[in-house]
Each structure stands twice: as C-alpha cells, then as structure tokens.
Amino acid sequence: MNGDEASEEAILRAADLLAHGGLVAFPTETVYGLGADASNEAAVRRIFLAKGRPADHPVIVHVAGSAQLASWVRHVPEPARRLAEAFWPGPLTMVLERAEHVLDIITGGQNTVGIRVPSHPVAQKMLRAFGGGVAGPSANRFGHVSPTTAAHVRAEFGDSLDMILEGGQSEVGIESTIVDLSRGHPFLLRPGIISVEQLEAVLGETVRRPDAHSPRASGTLASHYAPTTPTRLVAPDALERTLAVAGVRVGVLARRPRGANLSAAVWVEAPDDAGRYAHELYADLRYLDTSRCDLILVEQVPDSREWDAIRDRIGRAASPERN
Ligand code: TXA
Ligand code: MG
C-alpha cells in the first residue's frame, strides 16, 4: 500500500456525505467502488444514473463486518457463516436471501442480495464511520474497465461525484469472487482471486458453475470490463502472425518482452504470475486504451485454474459482442 491514502478527516466527510444521499467513490482491495447509502433509494438511483447501468441489475452491499450480515439477509446459513469466518474481510461476495427491508433497486427485484466485507483500511474506516450498508458497484461506466486507482475513477467520472476517497492502487486488481448460497448448493457467479478450490475446502462440498436458474449478474454478460478500442484475444503462437497482417496501429498485452521484429505500436509486458497479472490488468488495459491504437491484442493466458478469473476478465474485455 502506498502513502496516498485518505485522511481520517476525509473519511469522516465521506461518511457524512453518504448519510446525506451523496455519491462517494471508495477504494477496496479488489477495485474502486461507487458508493451510496444502500437504504436510500434516491441515493442508489444516482449510482445507476452515473454509471449508465440498466435499472434491473442488482448491486452488492458493503458492510464493515460479518456481524452486520444478519441485518441484510433473511437468515445466515451455516455455509455463509463458514465462508465469512474464512474470507472476510476480503475479496468474496456472498449472495443470500434478502431481508424484507432491502430495496428492490439493490436486488434488481430478485429475492437475493449480494453482501461483501472489504478489507481495504480506507473502506473499513468509511464503513465503520457510516455505520450502515454501502451499495457499491465498481466505479466505472457500465461495461467499461474497472478502476484500480483514484485517478482511474476521475478519468471515468470527472467531477460529477461528491467525493473520491484515495486509497492507492487496489491490491488484488480484479473484482471479488461471487458465490451464490441462496439455492441449497453453492454456485460460482463470478470467478475471482479466491478460487473455487479455496471455497470448496471451507465448504466441504462442490461449488457449481452457474446454470439456467442462476440470477442475472452484469459481470456475467459476455461483453464487460471492456476497453473502448476494439480488443481481441490471440493465442501466444499466433501473436507474431496476427501482428504481421494487422495493418493498423496495434497495442499488445503479453506475458513476454517485445520481440525485435514485432510491429506493435505499443507493447505492455504483463507479469507471468496470475496474482501480479491481476494486480496490473485493468491499469494495463486502460493504458493501452489511451495509447491511440486501432486494435488491442491480448495474448491468451494459460489454461490452468489459477488463471481462471483472469481468463474470464480478458475474455469479456475482448468479447466480439461489443467490439
Ligand atoms: O470486488 C467487487 O465486488 C467490487 C468492489 C467495489 O467491491 N464491486 C463490484 O460490483 O464488482 P459490481 O456491481 O460491478 O459487480 C457485482 C456483480 C454484478 O455483476 C451484479 O450483477 C452481481 O454482482 N450481483 C449483485 N447482487 C446480486 C444478486 N443479488 N444476485 C446475483 N448477482 C448479484
Ligand atoms: Mg463492475
């Protein structure tokens, strides 16, 4: 964590803004969130307006600790208790049956709510000072690349938010793992740095892939986390060939240095370690997206499980549905 963290005073001001219906971007260990009081419908509506997000998409609620889980859900099943114990505060979101009072604008009209306890110290202090739940999707325009620094948030929203809390570069770099515990069996709704194996080790049962009955989640749309520049995935051994015939200004994200004879205009060398790759991914995509390229080529990552969450994100960034 670097030194550019919000002061205590700024954090108290953020909590006060939230209490008065304000929009506050805040750092978490995964990505920055766009926060509003989860119990204030008008405030949450402002999140949707700012993001340009469809109104029926649910947003997750951030709380300071596991003790607050019970006040947002109908009941806390044993598996949720165990996962909270093992992974909170941290990059895990649990989807559970909603408590009666949870607003439809939070749940997208579904009977479940997503809850997360972030570990970032600034988020923790803000949530404790505020006291309630903070609705917080990632602080980017709908479908766009998630922000991992306060500067990214500023680039997305300019001065249109009430406040942006500083917290340095997000440590994890990609969004939380989402597990649905509302349906008897655990389902993985979004892969993240907390892996299926880690979840299964704590739960003692298999975590399933989403099925036809799984709830809508915008992070599960084919095209998401996407740069504005057309973006394509290429197999490592096809990169040279693709560059040779591209005929336009190309930006490359690859886990190796630029070869001497490669014609890419911009080359970003990504770490060859899944954790560090995730940490850099969104900053790398944003950098490439602002480098005036006509095309971004992302080299495919290994097939192994530790790269699951990254394969998911780069696959959506490069989805042909959007580009
Ligand atoms: O790491 C994160 O989770 C970040 C930080 C800010 O906490 N937040 C985040 O929020 O990624 P967002 O809204 O960009 O992604 C949350 C995902 C969305 O795809 C949303 O549709 C899904 O969670 N979601 C929220 N509530 C849900 C529910 N009740 N049932 C199913 N999916 C839900
Ligand atoms: Mg998002």
Side-chain angles (χ1 to χ4, degrees), residues 51 138 140 146 224:
K51 281 190 61 110
S138 49
N140 52 274
S146 297
H224 215 72

Side-chain angles (χ1 to χ4, degrees), residues 30 33 53 58 60 62 112 116 137-138 175-176 178 190 215 217-219:
T30 57
R53 192 183 215 202
I60 64 179
H62 298 74
T112 56
R116 171 158 131 74
S138 49
E175 303 78 357
S176 60
I178 305 182
R190 181 171 70 187
S218 50

Side-chain angles (χ1 to χ4, degrees), residues 26 28 30-34 51 53 57-60 62 93 95 106-107 110 112-114 116 136-138 140 174-176 178 189-190 215-220 224:
F26 62 101
T28 84
T30 57
V31 301
Y32 276 63
L34 183 54
K51 281 190 61 110
R53 192 183 215 202
H57 283 241
V59 286
I60 64 179
H62 298 74
T93 298
V95 170
I106 295 288
T107 66
Q110 306 175 86
T112 56
V113 62
R116 171 158 131 74
S138 49
N140 52 274
I174 57 174
E175 303 78 357
S176 60
I178 305 182
L189 297 187
R190 181 171 70 187
R216 295 183 307 273
S218 50
T220 62
H224 215 72

Side-chain angles (χ1 to χ4, degrees), residues 260-312:
N261 55 349
L262 291 183
S263 58
V266 185
W267 187 284
V268 175
E269 185 182 348
D272 194 15
D273 162 273
R276 286 192 297 125
Y277 188 109
H279 179 73
E280 301 299 325
L281 174 62
Y282 290 144
D284 289 345
L285 287 178
R286 278 172 184 275
Y287 171 74
L288 286 166
D289 204 17
T290 53
S291 62
R292 292 174 294 106
C293 288
D294 304 301
L295 176 67
I296 297 171
L297 294 179
V298 178
E299 182 194 41
Q300 187 54 282
V301 296
D303 254 339
S304 57
R305 311 239 17 200
E306 53 169 337
W307 291 87
D308 274 355
I310 291 160
R311 232 178 303 108
D312 171 75

